[in-house]
Amino acid sequence: MRYLCVMLPFALLTPTVAPAQTIPPTTPATATEKYSVEQTLLGTLLDDPAAKAVLVKHLPNVVSNKEIDMARTFTLKALQNYAADQITDAKLAAINADLEKLPAKK
């Protein structure tokens, strides 16, 4: 009992861990949003035929890679860190320009 009385103040001073925060998805959330290389997940782009056509146009070797599904949770901008020789800033800009031309998803 004495141990409990001595330890209780220390237990009350111990900081508590804040609950984990949820991270919002980086895919378009509303019908008026456009795709982008910085915010949209690769998997989302690959699942949309029009967006996939843009990727095939600019990054045919990346899209046809048999391991592309492992990168579905990355944005193209994040994927650039792993394939900088193929996913250049110029290509990302061109992809973004073509994605801007696509109609907003409903």
Side-chain angles (χ1 to χ4, degrees), residues 45-98:
L45 297 174
L46 291 173
D47 291 342
D48 181 332
K52 184 175 181 178
V54 170
L55 297 181
V56 170
K57 173 183 171 185
H58 295 284
L59 301 170
N61 294 336
V62 173
V63 176
S64 65
N65 187 308
K66 65 181 180 177
E67 297 174 348
I68 192 68
D69 283 338
M70 292 181 0
R72 290 180 67 86
T73 59
F74 288 87
T75 63
L76 284 172
K77 184 67 178 169
L79 195 57
Q80 183 183 33
N81 294 324
Y82 303 97
D85 59 327
Q86 295 179 50
I87 305 174
T88 63
D89 287 337
K91 285 190 181 186
L92 288 179
I95 292 168
N96 226 23
D98 282 353

Side-chain angles (χ1 to χ4, degrees), residues 16-37:
T16 58
V17 177
Q21 296 178 343
T22 57
I23 299 171
T26 56
T27 55
T30 65
T32 59
E33 288 189 43
K34 299 278 187 166
Y35 294 138
S36 76
V37 297

